[in-house]
Amino acid sequence: MDANRFWSEITNTFRRVVRSNFQVEQASTAERVKLASSAVPLTDPLVQNYAVWRKAVLWIAAIALIILQIVHLISFESAEEFVGPANKGVVDGVQILILLSGIVGTILIVIAAALWANVPLSKRLARWGWLIMFVMPFLLAIMPLTMLMDMGDLEGDALTKARMGVGLMIGLYFFMQIGPKGLALFAGIIRSSMTLKTLLPESSAPGWATILFAPLYALFFVVITSFVIQIGGNVFLLLSCFCFITAPLVYVFKAAAIGKPQTGEEVTRVLGRIRMVVSILALTGTVFLIISLAVSGLFDFWEAFKFFLGFVSSTMALTVVASDFILALIFRSYEQGRKFQESPHRETLEAKFQALSTVGLTRLISWGAFTPPAAPAAPSMPAVSQTADANVEVSLESVVLDSSPEEKQ
């Protein structure tokens, strides 16, 4: 590969990842030829465009993960200084397991990126790679490691305080490992949903997936950052949190625009504006966060760099994994929707929704005046004739059950 082709490949990769818009990004002629002749031939232009987008995101994730694992290896330190020689095996074992899971997951992601043209195989490799890197730290984090440690002759309050001190140190370590992956879980799903909206603008499902996860992302970010704020908070960290919390909520405010079927031109115009606002907020929040870390000195450069790189790499990897998974869910929902229209359950469900809508339970937005929908016309009841000079008490039951058509006439 010559220098010009190599540089073109790099620029195409970054452009596809940044835009993530299938309405404007297309596969090249060389890529289409390679996909058409792959182990599982892909000849449809739409599928080919999706495959080359997967390739771009996977390579960004792979490169970020490789750098991250190298930094982890270089900065690896034994925990003997903090927990003593008797307990270093427990903590060091946990660190090694997490490091190995990251290396194995990275290898699988790299292979998935290299075999991008074989979409089914690349899909399986990427999914397993992300699962290994994501699940292992969470499984180890729920283990009561301090209960496995030798605290010597300590008893009572001294033993409790010693375990609390060691537990705090271990908790900070797991926070640095799990925090980026937890934030990336929501960020990756939102990013993949918005990308799929450009692939399938006729479907409202990707937009609603974003609307569902965006407020959860903002809430989870508050939970994650509240711990850091209490330890070393400052005004720059608060401004950073405000930007990062507001960014996903933009999707909620624009729910009506992204949650409906659209044309290709409409989705490009609408999502372009929304993504611009979100990007500005995210960039501003990043600047404030860097200033905050520099002012507080809470984390050194390498710890902050590993946290940021872990978030970026996990987000990129999950974007591909979530896109493959959500795309399958959208198709399954579409198939079930077609069958549901012909099933006997449709009328029953419509009646239930009609009843729930009479008190506003089917409204997405709760504020503002509520006007009950017009009720369907009820079946007419037989009229009861009464004379002007007669004071007759007639029951509904007697009219319906006892009167014959001749008598009612």
Side-chain angles (χ1 to χ4, degrees):
M1 181 184 294
D2 55 38
N4 291 334
R5 184 178 175 185
F6 179 74
W7 178 250
S8 176
E9 187 71 21
I10 292 177
T11 54
N12 288 339
T13 297
F14 278 98
R15 188 185 67 248
R16 286 168 177 166
V17 172
V18 172
R19 288 184 176 180
S20 292
N21 188 342
F22 292 102
Q23 299 298 320
V24 296
E25 292 296 326
Q26 307 291 323
S28 65
T29 303
E31 289 170 332
R32 295 191 188 280
V33 172
K34 184 173 182 177
L35 288 169
S37 59
S38 64
V40 182
L42 303 180
T43 57
D44 186 89
L46 179 68
V47 182
Q48 292 175 340
N49 294 339
Y50 182 76
V52 297
W53 172 81
R54 288 184 79 259
K55 177 187 71 169
V57 182
L58 280 173
W59 273 120
I60 295 296
I63 294 172
L65 285 169
I66 290 173
I67 298 174
L68 179 63
Q69 303 313 321
I70 292 175
V71 173
H72 278 312
L73 286 171
I74 295 175
S75 61
F76 181 85
E77 294 182 359
S78 174
E80 181 177 357
E81 180 182 352
F82 301 97
V83 298
N87 297 316
K88 74 170 186 176
V90 176
V91 181
D92 287 353
V94 169
Q95 293 187 84
I96 292 173
L97 285 176
I98 293 179
L99 183 60
L100 287 176
S101 67
I103 293 174
V104 172
T106 299
I107 292 174
L108 293 177
I109 295 293
V110 171
I111 298 175
L115 301 178
W116 64 274
N118 189 340
V119 174
L121 178 58
S122 175
K123 175 182 174 182
R124 291 194 298 270
L125 290 171
R127 183 173 297 181
W128 279 108
W130 176 80
L131 280 174
I132 291 172
M133 291 186 295
F134 182 82
V135 173
M136 181 61 73
F138 279 89
L139 290 178
L140 295 174
I142 62 176
M143 293 179 59
L145 298 181
T146 56
M147 302 299 294
L148 305 176
M149 295 182 180
D150 181 11
M151 296 298 177
D153 298 330
L154 296 178
E155 296 180 357
D157 292 341
L159 177 61
T160 302
K161 292 179 180 179
R163 284 180 173 171
M164 289 180 62
V166 175
L168 178 61
M169 182 270 297
I170 296 176
L172 287 172
Y173 168 77
F174 278 118
F175 172 80
M176 297 301 295
Q177 297 294 323
I178 295 177
K181 295 178 175 61
L183 291 173
L185 179 64
F186 296 96
I189 292 176
I190 293 173
R191 183 175 178 81
S192 63
S193 299
M194 285 292 90
T195 302
L196 289 178
K197 182 63 178 178
T198 67
L199 180 71
L200 307 171
E202 303 86 359
S203 174
S204 60
W208 286 112
T210 301
I211 296 168
L212 174 63
F213 279 94
L216 297 178
Y217 180 31
L219 180 61
F220 186 77
F221 191 88
V222 172
V223 174
I224 289 292
T225 56
S226 61
F227 174 74
V228 181
I229 289 176
Q230 298 306 320
I231 296 178
N234 52 57
V235 64
F236 296 106
L237 184 58
L238 290 176
L239 291 173
S240 175
C241 291
F242 174 79
C243 292
F244 284 127
I245 292 170
T246 306
L249 294 180
V250 173
Y251 295 112
V252 181
F253 297 145
K254 295 295 183 179
I258 65 177
K260 64 179 181 180
Q262 296 170 323
T263 64
E265 294 78 9
E266 289 174 340
V267 77
T268 298
R269 183 179 66 257
V270 172
L271 290 191
R273 297 172 182 173
I274 296 175
R275 281 174 164 174
M276 181 179 296
V277 176
V278 173
S279 299
I280 292 174
L281 288 171
L283 181 61
T284 306
T286 302
V287 172
F288 282 132
L289 180 61
I290 294 174
I291 298 175
S292 171
L293 293 175
V295 171
S296 66
L298 183 61
F299 300 105
D300 59 25
F301 171 79
W302 287 112
E303 291 298 324
F305 178 73
K306 287 189 290 186
F307 190 95
F308 174 76
L309 198 58
F311 171 73
V312 172
S313 59
S314 297
T315 301
M316 292 294 101
L318 181 60
T319 297
V320 174
V321 175
S323 295
D324 296 337
F325 185 72
I326 295 175
L327 185 58
L329 286 180
I330 293 173
F331 174 74
R332 182 64 60 86
S333 175
Y334 169 74
E335 284 289 295
Q336 291 180 345
R338 290 178 57 187
K339 296 178 182 178
F340 179 76
Q341 294 301 320
E342 302 173 357
S343 70
H345 304 295
R346 182 175 62 87
E347 294 183 359
T348 304
L349 183 62
E350 289 180 352
K352 291 180 179 180
F353 279 144
Q354 179 65 32
L356 293 170
S357 65
T358 58
V359 291
L361 291 175
T362 55
R363 298 181 69 199
L364 184 63
I365 301 176
S366 298
W367 58 78
F370 168 66
T371 303
S380 59
M381 300 298 298
V384 180
S385 60
Q386 295 180 344
T387 58
D389 56 347
N391 185 12
V392 182
E393 181 177 355
V394 182
S395 68
L396 179 62
E397 181 178 343
S398 63
V399 173
V400 175
L401 299 179
D402 298 338
S403 299
S404 64
E406 292 79 4
E407 294 171 337
K408 283 185 276 188
Q409 290 176 357

